[in-house]
């Protein structure tokens, strides 16, 4: 196979990249509200880029362009802060949702509704994300088995005869 190393058996071969890079990225992605940040970045880019589009595409020109660009930049910053500072995900999620809702009125229907919907989805995902609980630690030695409870004691003499 072209995408595998080692022997010809694709079930036992490793991926061409070795899997280390994708494993690190997967751990990084799962340790923060990744998809909420992606949707917030996309929403911010949509809302920010629309006022910079040609006049035929835009619905409104002028003063509405300034808040659109500012709201888009703030949404992009909130998406990045969710990635690089996940402890602030609650504030970033709330602000992203509020700005996306405000963009509906202030910025060409919030990027023709696409930016608003992406922003509300991203803000909700950021707000709802919780870090995964650490798996319980296991000790290196297996637990010892406890002996079964002793049977009722009988009085016996050293010879083994009952007394």
């Amino acid at each position: 196979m072209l995408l595998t190393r080692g022997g010809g058996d694709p079930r036992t071969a490793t991926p061409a990249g070795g899997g280390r890079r994708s494993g690190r990225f997967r751990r990084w992605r799962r340790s923060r509200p990744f998809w909420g940040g992606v949707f917030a970045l996309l929403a911010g880019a949509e809302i920010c880029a629309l006022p910079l589009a040609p006049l035929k595409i835009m619905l409104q020109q002028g003063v509405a362009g300034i808040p659109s660009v500012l709201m888009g930049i703030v949404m992009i910053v909130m998406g990045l802060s969710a990635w690089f500072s996940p402890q602030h995900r609650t504030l970033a999620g709330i602000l992203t949702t509020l700005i996306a809702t405000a963009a509906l009125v202030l910025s060409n229907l919030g990027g023709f509704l696409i930016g608003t919907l992406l922003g509300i989805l991203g803000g909700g995902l950021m707000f709802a994300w919780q870090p995964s609980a650490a798996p319980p630690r296991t000790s290196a030695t297996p637990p010892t088995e406890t002996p079964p409870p002793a049977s009722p004691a009988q009085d016996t003499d050293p010879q083994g005869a009952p007394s």
Side-chain angles (χ1 to χ4, degrees):
M1 294 231 130
L2 294 175
L3 299 177
T4 58
R5 276 192 226 163
D9 189 7
R11 292 172 288 169
T12 59
T14 59
R20 280 180 252 159
R21 188 178 319 161
S22 65
R24 279 191 306 198
F25 177 70
R26 185 177 296 126
R27 280 191 304 274
W28 180 83
R29 186 188 71 205
R30 290 181 179 172
S31 67
R32 58 203 72 244
F34 179 77
W35 292 110
V38 167
F39 286 124
L41 286 170
L42 291 174
E46 173 71 22
I47 291 171
C48 191
L50 206 57
L52 304 176
L55 186 58
K56 292 180 180 180
I57 296 174
M58 289 183 47
L59 292 177
Q60 192 174 3
Q61 177 68 23
V63 178
I66 295 170
S68 298
V69 172
L70 290 177
M71 285 188 287
I73 290 172
V74 170
M75 288 179 75
I76 290 171
V77 168
M78 290 297 110
L80 291 173
S81 72
W83 281 357
F84 298 112
S85 182
Q87 64 269 22
H88 299 302
R89 68 189 178 278
T90 305
L91 177 65
I94 291 171
L95 286 177
T96 300
T97 304
L98 289 175
I99 291 171
T101 307
L104 186 63
V105 177
L106 298 174
S107 171
N108 299 323
L109 292 176
F112 296 125
L113 293 177
I114 296 170
T116 294
L117 293 176
L118 287 173
I120 290 172
L121 178 65
L125 287 173
M126 282 189 268
F127 184 78
W129 181 83
Q130 292 291 319
S132 61
R137 292 187 175 218
T138 57
S139 61
T141 59
T144 58
E145 292 185 21
T146 58
S151 61
Q154 295 179 353
D155 292 334
T156 58
D157 64 356
Q159 304 278 330
S163 54

PDB file of all heavy atoms in Angstrom, residues 98-128:
ATOM      1  N   LEU A  98     -23.921  36.402  21.948  1.00  0.00           N
ATOM      2  CA  LEU A  98     -24.500  37.738  21.963  1.00  0.00           C
ATOM      3  C   LEU A  98     -24.097  38.553  20.738  1.00  0.00           C
ATOM      4  O   LEU A  98     -24.925  39.249  20.137  1.00  0.00           O
ATOM      5  CB  LEU A  98     -24.087  38.475  23.241  1.00  0.00           C
ATOM      6  CG  LEU A  98     -24.725  37.980  24.540  1.00  0.00           C
ATOM      7  CD1 LEU A  98     -24.132  38.716  25.726  1.00  0.00           C
ATOM      8  CD2 LEU A  98     -26.227  38.148  24.491  1.00  0.00           C
ATOM      9  N   ILE A  99     -22.836  38.473  20.347  1.00  0.00           N
ATOM     10  CA  ILE A  99     -22.378  39.224  19.184  1.00  0.00           C
ATOM     11  C   ILE A  99     -23.011  38.673  17.906  1.00  0.00           C
ATOM     12  O   ILE A  99     -23.376  39.435  17.004  1.00  0.00           O
ATOM     13  CB  ILE A  99     -20.843  39.214  19.116  1.00  0.00           C
ATOM     14  CG1 ILE A  99     -20.285  40.041  20.273  1.00  0.00           C
ATOM     15  CG2 ILE A  99     -20.343  39.745  17.790  1.00  0.00           C
ATOM     16  CD1 ILE A  99     -18.806  39.936  20.442  1.00  0.00           C
ATOM     17  N   ALA A 100     -23.155  37.355  17.825  1.00  0.00           N
ATOM     18  CA  ALA A 100     -23.799  36.771  16.640  1.00  0.00           C
ATOM     19  C   ALA A 100     -25.250  37.206  16.538  1.00  0.00           C
ATOM     20  O   ALA A 100     -25.756  37.474  15.439  1.00  0.00           O
ATOM     21  CB  ALA A 100     -23.706  35.250  16.700  1.00  0.00           C
ATOM     22  N   THR A 101     -25.923  37.306  17.681  1.00  0.00           N
ATOM     23  CA  THR A 101     -27.309  37.766  17.676  1.00  0.00           C
ATOM     24  C   THR A 101     -27.383  39.254  17.319  1.00  0.00           C
ATOM     25  O   THR A 101     -28.261  39.671  16.559  1.00  0.00           O
ATOM     26  CB  THR A 101     -27.953  37.506  19.048  1.00  0.00           C
ATOM     27  OG1 THR A 101     -27.768  36.130  19.385  1.00  0.00           O
ATOM     28  CG2 THR A 101     -29.428  37.818  19.026  1.00  0.00           C
ATOM     29  N   ALA A 102     -26.467  40.056  17.831  1.00  0.00           N
ATOM     30  CA  ALA A 102     -26.444  41.477  17.497  1.00  0.00           C
ATOM     31  C   ALA A 102     -26.089  41.689  16.028  1.00  0.00           C
ATOM     32  O   ALA A 102     -26.568  42.644  15.397  1.00  0.00           O
ATOM     33  CB  ALA A 102     -25.447  42.207  18.387  1.00  0.00           C
ATOM     34  N   ALA A 103     -25.292  40.820  15.467  1.00  0.00           N
ATOM     35  CA  ALA A 103     -24.914  40.951  14.062  1.00  0.00           C
ATOM     36  C   ALA A 103     -26.110  40.752  13.144  1.00  0.00           C
ATOM     37  O   ALA A 103     -26.123  41.255  12.022  1.00  0.00           O
ATOM     38  CB  ALA A 103     -23.816  39.948  13.725  1.00  0.00           C
ATOM     39  N   LEU A 104     -27.106  40.059  13.629  1.00  0.00           N
ATOM     40  CA  LEU A 104     -28.318  39.871  12.833  1.00  0.00           C
ATOM     41  C   LEU A 104     -28.942  41.212  12.484  1.00  0.00           C
ATOM     42  O   LEU A 104     -29.421  41.422  11.371  1.00  0.00           O
ATOM     43  CB  LEU A 104     -29.304  38.992  13.608  1.00  0.00           C
ATOM     44  CG  LEU A 104     -30.571  38.559  12.896  1.00  0.00           C
ATOM     45  CD1 LEU A 104     -30.217  37.697  11.711  1.00  0.00           C
ATOM     46  CD2 LEU A 104     -31.462  37.800  13.841  1.00  0.00           C
ATOM     47  N   VAL A 105     -28.913  42.157  13.423  1.00  0.00           N
ATOM     48  CA  VAL A 105     -29.506  43.477  13.214  1.00  0.00           C
ATOM     49  C   VAL A 105     -28.485  44.462  12.641  1.00  0.00           C
ATOM     50  O   VAL A 105     -28.808  45.266  11.769  1.00  0.00           O
ATOM     51  CB  VAL A 105     -30.061  44.015  14.551  1.00  0.00           C
ATOM     52  CG1 VAL A 105     -30.619  45.399  14.398  1.00  0.00           C
ATOM     53  CG2 VAL A 105     -31.084  43.057  15.114  1.00  0.00           C
ATOM     54  N   LEU A 106     -27.253  44.405  13.114  1.00  0.00           N
ATOM     55  CA  LEU A 106     -26.273  45.437  12.788  1.00  0.00           C
ATOM     56  C   LEU A 106     -25.423  45.162  11.552  1.00  0.00           C
ATOM     57  O   LEU A 106     -24.728  46.049  11.094  1.00  0.00           O
ATOM     58  CB  LEU A 106     -25.343  45.644  13.984  1.00  0.00           C
ATOM     59  CG  LEU A 106     -26.011  46.141  15.268  1.00  0.00           C
ATOM     60  CD1 LEU A 106     -25.007  46.157  16.396  1.00  0.00           C
ATOM     61  CD2 LEU A 106     -26.608  47.512  15.053  1.00  0.00           C
ATOM     62  N   SER A 107     -25.423  43.947  11.061  1.00  0.00           N
ATOM     63  CA  SER A 107     -24.463  43.612  10.007  1.00  0.00           C
ATOM     64  C   SER A 107     -25.102  42.792   8.897  1.00  0.00           C
ATOM     65  O   SER A 107     -24.888  41.576   8.813  1.00  0.00           O
ATOM     66  CB  SER A 107     -23.300  42.840  10.614  1.00  0.00           C
ATOM     67  OG  SER A 107     -22.471  42.342   9.613  1.00  0.00           O
ATOM     68  N   ASN A 108     -25.865  43.417   8.034  1.00  0.00           N
ATOM     69  CA  ASN A 108     -26.388  42.739   6.838  1.00  0.00           C
ATOM     70  C   ASN A 108     -27.004  41.380   7.152  1.00  0.00           C
ATOM     71  O   ASN A 108     -26.629  40.367   6.592  1.00  0.00           O
ATOM     72  CB  ASN A 108     -25.286  42.570   5.789  1.00  0.00           C
ATOM     73  CG  ASN A 108     -24.734  43.877   5.333  1.00  0.00           C
ATOM     74  OD1 ASN A 108     -25.474  44.845   5.200  1.00  0.00           O
ATOM     75  ND2 ASN A 108     -23.442  43.928   5.104  1.00  0.00           N
ATOM     76  N   LEU A 109     -27.927  41.377   8.073  1.00  0.00           N
ATOM     77  CA  LEU A 109     -28.573  40.137   8.519  1.00  0.00           C
ATOM     78  C   LEU A 109     -27.557  39.125   9.034  1.00  0.00           C
ATOM     79  O   LEU A 109     -27.708  37.926   8.873  1.00  0.00           O
ATOM     80  CB  LEU A 109     -29.409  39.515   7.405  1.00  0.00           C
ATOM     81  CG  LEU A 109     -30.649  40.291   6.993  1.00  0.00           C
ATOM     82  CD1 LEU A 109     -31.319  39.615   5.816  1.00  0.00           C
ATOM     83  CD2 LEU A 109     -31.608  40.423   8.147  1.00  0.00           C
ATOM     84  N   GLY A 110     -26.541  39.604   9.698  1.00  0.00           N
ATOM     85  CA  GLY A 110     -25.538  38.721  10.295  1.00  0.00           C
ATOM     86  C   GLY A 110     -24.782  37.910   9.280  1.00  0.00           C
ATOM     87  O   GLY A 110     -24.555  36.720   9.472  1.00  0.00           O
ATOM     88  N   GLY A 111     -24.379  38.524   8.205  1.00  0.00           N
ATOM     89  CA  GLY A 111     -23.668  37.774   7.167  1.00  0.00           C
ATOM     90  C   GLY A 111     -24.620  36.902   6.396  1.00  0.00           C
ATOM     91  O   GLY A 111     -24.336  35.731   6.152  1.00  0.00           O
ATOM     92  N   PHE A 112     -25.772  37.472   6.027  1.00  0.00           N
ATOM     93  CA  PHE A 112     -26.830  36.745   5.316  1.00  0.00           C
ATOM     94  C   PHE A 112     -27.253  35.505   6.095  1.00  0.00           C
ATOM     95  O   PHE A 112     -27.428  34.429   5.529  1.00  0.00           O
ATOM     96  CB  PHE A 112     -26.404  36.372   3.898  1.00  0.00           C
ATOM     97  CG  PHE A 112     -26.167  37.543   3.015  1.00  0.00           C
ATOM     98  CD1 PHE A 112     -24.973  37.702   2.361  1.00  0.00           C
ATOM     99  CD2 PHE A 112     -27.144  38.504   2.846  1.00  0.00           C
ATOM    100  CE1 PHE A 112     -24.744  38.783   1.535  1.00  0.00           C
ATOM    101  CE2 PHE A 112     -26.923  39.598   2.021  1.00  0.00           C
ATOM    102  CZ  PHE A 112     -25.722  39.740   1.364  1.00  0.00           C
ATOM    103  N   LEU A 113     -27.404  35.644   7.389  1.00  0.00           N
ATOM    104  CA  LEU A 113     -27.824  34.603   8.341  1.00  0.00           C
ATOM    105  C   LEU A 113     -26.777  33.507   8.548  1.00  0.00           C
ATOM    106  O   LEU A 113     -26.836  32.802   9.540  1.00  0.00           O
ATOM    107  CB  LEU A 113     -29.152  33.957   7.936  1.00  0.00           C
ATOM    108  CG  LEU A 113     -30.375  34.843   8.003  1.00  0.00           C
ATOM    109  CD1 LEU A 113     -31.594  34.083   7.513  1.00  0.00           C
ATOM    110  CD2 LEU A 113     -30.604  35.328   9.412  1.00  0.00           C
ATOM    111  N   ILE A 114     -25.848  33.354   7.648  1.00  0.00           N
ATOM    112  CA  ILE A 114     -24.837  32.292   7.792  1.00  0.00           C
ATOM    113  C   ILE A 114     -23.938  32.592   8.984  1.00  0.00           C
ATOM    114  O   ILE A 114     -23.690  31.719   9.821  1.00  0.00           O
ATOM    115  CB  ILE A 114     -24.007  32.151   6.504  1.00  0.00           C
ATOM    116  CG1 ILE A 114     -24.908  31.691   5.366  1.00  0.00           C
ATOM    117  CG2 ILE A 114     -22.868  31.174   6.698  1.00  0.00           C
ATOM    118  CD1 ILE A 114     -24.252  31.750   4.007  1.00  0.00           C
ATOM    119  N   GLY A 115     -23.442  33.814   9.094  1.00  0.00           N
ATOM    120  CA  GLY A 115     -22.569  34.186  10.203  1.00  0.00           C
ATOM    121  C   GLY A 115     -23.272  34.107  11.540  1.00  0.00           C
ATOM    122  O   GLY A 115     -22.700  33.654  12.529  1.00  0.00           O
ATOM    123  N   THR A 116     -24.537  34.536  11.576  1.00  0.00           N
ATOM    124  CA  THR A 116     -25.284  34.476  12.836  1.00  0.00           C
ATOM    125  C   THR A 116     -25.496  33.034  13.271  1.00  0.00           C
ATOM    126  O   THR A 116     -25.292  32.693  14.444  1.00  0.00           O
ATOM    127  CB  THR A 116     -26.634  35.199  12.688  1.00  0.00           C
ATOM    128  OG1 THR A 116     -26.383  36.583  12.478  1.00  0.00           O
ATOM    129  CG2 THR A 116     -27.477  35.029  13.923  1.00  0.00           C
ATOM    130  N   LEU A 117     -25.919  32.185  12.352  1.00  0.00           N
ATOM    131  CA  LEU A 117     -26.156  30.783  12.716  1.00  0.00           C
ATOM    132  C   LEU A 117     -24.863  30.086  13.142  1.00  0.00           C
ATOM    133  O   LEU A 117     -24.852  29.335  14.129  1.00  0.00           O
ATOM    134  CB  LEU A 117     -26.811  30.046  11.557  1.00  0.00           C
ATOM    135  CG  LEU A 117     -28.234  30.493  11.221  1.00  0.00           C
ATOM    136  CD1 LEU A 117     -28.747  29.761   9.996  1.00  0.00           C
ATOM    137  CD2 LEU A 117     -29.154  30.292  12.403  1.00  0.00           C
ATOM    138  N   LEU A 118     -23.770  30.336  12.426  1.00  0.00           N
ATOM    139  CA  LEU A 118     -22.487  29.749  12.818  1.00  0.00           C
ATOM    140  C   LEU A 118     -22.029  30.277  14.174  1.00  0.00           C
ATOM    141  O   LEU A 118     -21.482  29.530  14.994  1.00  0.00           O
ATOM    142  CB  LEU A 118     -21.419  30.035  11.761  1.00  0.00           C
ATOM    143  CG  LEU A 118     -21.525  29.264  10.446  1.00  0.00           C
ATOM    144  CD1 LEU A 118     -20.504  29.791   9.450  1.00  0.00           C
ATOM    145  CD2 LEU A 118     -21.349  27.791  10.674  1.00  0.00           C
ATOM    146  N   GLY A 119     -22.240  31.578  14.422  1.00  0.00           N
ATOM    147  CA  GLY A 119     -21.838  32.170  15.699  1.00  0.00           C
ATOM    148  C   GLY A 119     -22.648  31.623  16.872  1.00  0.00           C
ATOM    149  O   GLY A 119     -22.098  31.354  17.939  1.00  0.00           O
ATOM    150  N   ILE A 120     -23.955  31.474  16.688  1.00  0.00           N
ATOM    151  CA  ILE A 120     -24.781  30.921  17.766  1.00  0.00           C
ATOM    152  C   ILE A 120     -24.398  29.474  18.033  1.00  0.00           C
ATOM    153  O   ILE A 120     -24.291  29.048  19.191  1.00  0.00           O
ATOM    154  CB  ILE A 120     -26.280  31.065  17.420  1.00  0.00           C
ATOM    155  CG1 ILE A 120     -26.677  32.540  17.474  1.00  0.00           C
ATOM    156  CG2 ILE A 120     -27.141  30.238  18.355  1.00  0.00           C
ATOM    157  CD1 ILE A 120     -28.064  32.824  16.974  1.00  0.00           C
ATOM    158  N   LEU A 121     -24.161  28.709  16.977  1.00  0.00           N
ATOM    159  CA  LEU A 121     -23.736  27.313  17.148  1.00  0.00           C
ATOM    160  C   LEU A 121     -22.374  27.237  17.844  1.00  0.00           C
ATOM    161  O   LEU A 121     -22.191  26.462  18.792  1.00  0.00           O
ATOM    162  CB  LEU A 121     -23.686  26.616  15.793  1.00  0.00           C
ATOM    163  CG  LEU A 121     -23.212  25.171  15.793  1.00  0.00           C
ATOM    164  CD1 LEU A 121     -24.182  24.291  16.554  1.00  0.00           C
ATOM    165  CD2 LEU A 121     -23.043  24.680  14.374  1.00  0.00           C
ATOM    166  N   GLY A 122     -21.414  28.048  17.405  1.00  0.00           N
ATOM    167  CA  GLY A 122     -20.084  28.038  18.024  1.00  0.00           C
ATOM    168  C   GLY A 122     -20.116  28.494  19.469  1.00  0.00           C
ATOM    169  O   GLY A 122     -19.450  27.910  20.328  1.00  0.00           O
ATOM    170  N   GLY A 123     -20.888  29.550  19.758  1.00  0.00           N
ATOM    171  CA  GLY A 123     -20.998  30.012  21.144  1.00  0.00           C
ATOM    172  C   GLY A 123     -21.636  28.973  22.042  1.00  0.00           C
ATOM    173  O   GLY A 123     -21.209  28.776  23.183  1.00  0.00           O
ATOM    174  N   GLY A 124     -22.652  28.294  21.525  1.00  0.00           N
ATOM    175  CA  GLY A 124     -23.282  27.232  22.313  1.00  0.00           C
ATOM    176  C   GLY A 124     -22.343  26.068  22.571  1.00  0.00           C
ATOM    177  O   GLY A 124     -22.307  25.504  23.672  1.00  0.00           O
ATOM    178  N   LEU A 125     -21.564  25.698  21.570  1.00  0.00           N
ATOM    179  CA  LEU A 125     -20.602  24.606  21.758  1.00  0.00           C
ATOM    180  C   LEU A 125     -19.498  24.991  22.744  1.00  0.00           C
ATOM    181  O   LEU A 125     -19.064  24.155  23.549  1.00  0.00           O
ATOM    182  CB  LEU A 125     -19.991  24.206  20.415  1.00  0.00           C
ATOM    183  CG  LEU A 125     -20.896  23.432  19.464  1.00  0.00           C
ATOM    184  CD1 LEU A 125     -20.217  23.254  18.124  1.00  0.00           C
ATOM    185  CD2 LEU A 125     -21.277  22.095  20.060  1.00  0.00           C
ATOM    186  N   MET A 126     -19.054  26.241  22.683  1.00  0.00           N
ATOM    187  CA  MET A 126     -18.030  26.694  23.635  1.00  0.00           C
ATOM    188  C   MET A 126     -18.578  26.693  25.057  1.00  0.00           C
ATOM    189  O   MET A 126     -17.905  26.284  25.988  1.00  0.00           O
ATOM    190  CB  MET A 126     -17.539  28.090  23.276  1.00  0.00           C
ATOM    191  CG  MET A 126     -16.566  28.141  22.157  1.00  0.00           C
ATOM    192  SD  MET A 126     -15.863  29.772  21.982  1.00  0.00           S
ATOM    193  CE  MET A 126     -16.978  30.502  20.816  1.00  0.00           C
ATOM    194  N   PHE A 127     -19.800  27.186  25.208  1.00  0.00           N
ATOM    195  CA  PHE A 127     -20.395  27.281  26.539  1.00  0.00           C
ATOM    196  C   PHE A 127     -20.669  25.899  27.124  1.00  0.00           C
ATOM    197  O   PHE A 127     -20.489  25.671  28.319  1.00  0.00           O
ATOM    198  CB  PHE A 127     -21.700  28.082  26.466  1.00  0.00           C
ATOM    199  CG  PHE A 127     -22.335  28.307  27.800  1.00  0.00           C
ATOM    200  CD1 PHE A 127     -21.849  29.270  28.658  1.00  0.00           C
ATOM    201  CD2 PHE A 127     -23.415  27.553  28.202  1.00  0.00           C
ATOM    202  CE1 PHE A 127     -22.420  29.483  29.894  1.00  0.00           C
ATOM    203  CE2 PHE A 127     -24.004  27.757  29.432  1.00  0.00           C
ATOM    204  CZ  PHE A 127     -23.502  28.728  30.279  1.00  0.00           C
ATOM    205  N   ALA A 128     -21.079  24.962  26.294  1.00  0.00           N
ATOM    206  CA  ALA A 128     -21.470  23.639  26.774  1.00  0.00           C
ATOM    207  C   ALA A 128     -20.301  22.690  26.990  1.00  0.00           C
ATOM    208  O   ALA A 128     -20.445  21.669  27.664  1.00  0.00           O
ATOM    209  CB  ALA A 128     -22.455  23.003  25.797  1.00  0.00           C
TER     210      ALA A 128
END
